[in-house]
Amino acid sequence: MNRTLLVAGIGILAAGVLASASLFTVNEAQQALVLQFGEPMRVIREPGLKAKVPFIQEVRILDRRVLDLDPPVEQVILADQKRLDVDAFARYRILDPLRFYQTAGNEAVAETRMNAIVNSALRRVLGSVTLLAILSDERPRVMNDIRGQVNDEAKRFGIEIVDVRIRRADLPEETSQSIFARMRSEREREAAEARAQGQEQSQQIRSRADRERTVILAEAQRDSQILRGEGDNQALKMIAEATSQDPQFYSFYRTLEAYRKSLNKDDTTMVLSPTGEFFRYFGDIT
């Protein structure tokens, strides 16, 4: 009895090992290549449970989805002799698993070769266009040319290139520093020119203001002299008219002028007789 159970257990275990070695699954995102002693036997594209000869055949699972390819940054020289550091990426899918296995073997080797192909196409295509073309509406055409050249090379690996794009295109660091220095020098030159023009305009405005000030002062002095002369003339006329009407008025006026000029706070003290001729118009002040 025990021997029968042991034999049955060994049989079940052997059947399980045989089944695990014979059966495998392929999901919707995969495709498989069955190899026998390293030689490809068949390609499996449909998902599901599949069988193979145990211990003799092996299965290589390949991705059938769109895969990303990220080559290293490449420095290219454009047609106008400008240098650019181009960071590009590509998307691809494996169309022919058999050719892919025979030419590349696995995805790591294929990506290494495709990186070189993408950068080579970038150098060829971008070397025939200018920086303006990359920055203008011609960019889609340039990218299509790159994708077409990469696709032609990728077909021998059983790969289809879905898309190629430029993620970034920057000037090299030394070129950027040179452009920055040139821009700074240009801005400094423009600033110095603006300051010089401002100083010139300031000097012109100041000179014009000084000239106008001199003219205004001269005209004011002239007008004041004229008005003063007219005032003195009118005063003399009034004095002459008053004197002609009363001869004593002129003597009285001249005495008041003498009082005004001699009796002020800045003069020295005068000692005079109150009954003298100088105070004759003061009346009786004793």
Side-chain angles (χ1 to χ4, degrees), residues 210-256:
D210 290 342
R211 183 172 64 253
E212 292 176 355
R213 174 179 172 273
T214 302
V215 172
I216 291 172
L217 289 176
E219 291 177 350
Q221 290 178 355
R222 182 199 61 193
D223 294 341
S224 67
Q225 292 292 337
I226 292 173
L227 293 175
R228 187 178 293 109
E230 292 177 352
D232 291 342
N233 186 35
Q234 291 180 2
L236 291 175
K237 286 181 180 181
M238 293 173 63
I239 293 172
E241 291 176 357
T243 302
S244 64
Q245 294 177 4
D246 186 356
Q248 294 297 324
F249 175 77
Y250 182 73
S251 176
F252 174 73
Y253 173 77
R254 295 297 297 172
T255 301
L256 292 180

Side-chain angles (χ1 to χ4, degrees), residues 22-261:
S22 302
L23 302 175
F24 63 95
T25 59
V26 178
N27 63 38
E28 293 81 357
Q30 296 174 336
Q31 52 192 338
L33 182 64
V34 179
L35 305 177
Q36 182 172 319
F37 302 116
E39 293 295 327
M41 300 301 294
R42 70 181 189 275
V43 175
I44 301 174
R45 300 180 185 274
E46 298 298 326
L49 182 64
K50 308 298 179 181
K52 65 182 180 64
V53 178
F55 310 114
I56 297 177
Q57 294 181 340
E58 62 175 323
V59 178
R60 294 288 178 89
I61 301 295
L62 300 175
D63 208 320
R64 66 185 302 172
R65 295 172 298 180
V66 175
L67 304 175
D68 292 330
L69 186 67
D70 191 9
V73 177
E74 181 77 6
Q75 186 173 110
V76 300
I77 302 177
L78 305 181
D80 51 5
Q81 301 304 309
K82 290 183 173 61
R83 294 178 180 269
L84 282 182
D85 289 337
V86 180
D87 183 9
F89 69 93
R91 292 188 174 92
Y92 71 98
R93 66 164 60 95
I94 301 172
L95 287 184
D96 189 342
L98 178 58
R99 179 174 294 184
F100 181 84
Y101 173 76
Q102 291 172 338
T103 55
N106 55 61
E107 293 178 5
V109 174
E111 288 185 1
T112 300
R113 295 186 179 181
M114 290 305 302
N115 285 339
I117 291 173
V118 170
N119 284 338
S120 178
L122 284 173
R123 288 193 300 270
R124 287 195 301 270
V125 176
L126 296 183
S128 62
V129 299
T130 64
L131 180 61
L132 182 61
I134 298 177
L135 301 178
S136 67
D137 295 339
E138 296 184 32
R139 182 165 178 160
R141 178 188 61 79
V142 174
M143 299 311 304
N144 287 334
D145 291 344
I146 296 174
R147 184 171 64 85
Q149 292 193 18
V150 175
N151 216 10
D152 291 341
E153 294 287 335
K155 288 179 180 179
R156 61 189 177 95
F157 296 104
I159 292 174
E160 177 190 24
I161 297 299
V162 178
D163 196 11
V164 178
R165 296 287 177 181
I166 293 178
R167 184 183 293 114
R168 293 184 60 183
D170 300 326
L171 293 172
E173 182 64 25
E174 58 274 12
T175 304
S176 298
Q177 292 297 329
S178 175
I179 292 175
F180 174 74
R182 185 165 63 251
M183 292 175 62
R184 182 174 60 185
S185 176
E186 182 65 20
R187 297 293 87 78
E188 289 176 350
R189 184 191 64 78
E190 292 177 355
E193 183 177 350
R195 282 194 295 268
Q197 292 177 353
Q199 291 176 354
E200 181 181 359
Q201 293 178 0
S202 173
Q203 186 64 34
Q204 291 176 354
I205 293 173
R206 189 177 294 109
S207 299
R208 186 163 55 249
D210 290 342
R211 183 172 64 253
E212 292 176 355
R213 174 179 172 273
T214 302
V215 172
I216 291 172
L217 289 176
E219 291 177 350
Q221 290 178 355
R222 182 199 61 193
D223 294 341
S224 67
Q225 292 292 337
I226 292 173
L227 293 175
R228 187 178 293 109
E230 292 177 352
D232 291 342
N233 186 35
Q234 291 180 2
L236 291 175
K237 286 181 180 181
M238 293 173 63
I239 293 172
E241 291 176 357
T243 302
S244 64
Q245 294 177 4
D246 186 356
Q248 294 297 324
F249 175 77
Y250 182 73
S251 176
F252 174 73
Y253 173 77
R254 295 297 297 172
T255 301
L256 292 180
E257 284 290 317
Y259 290 160
R260 184 176 62 82
K261 293 180 180 181

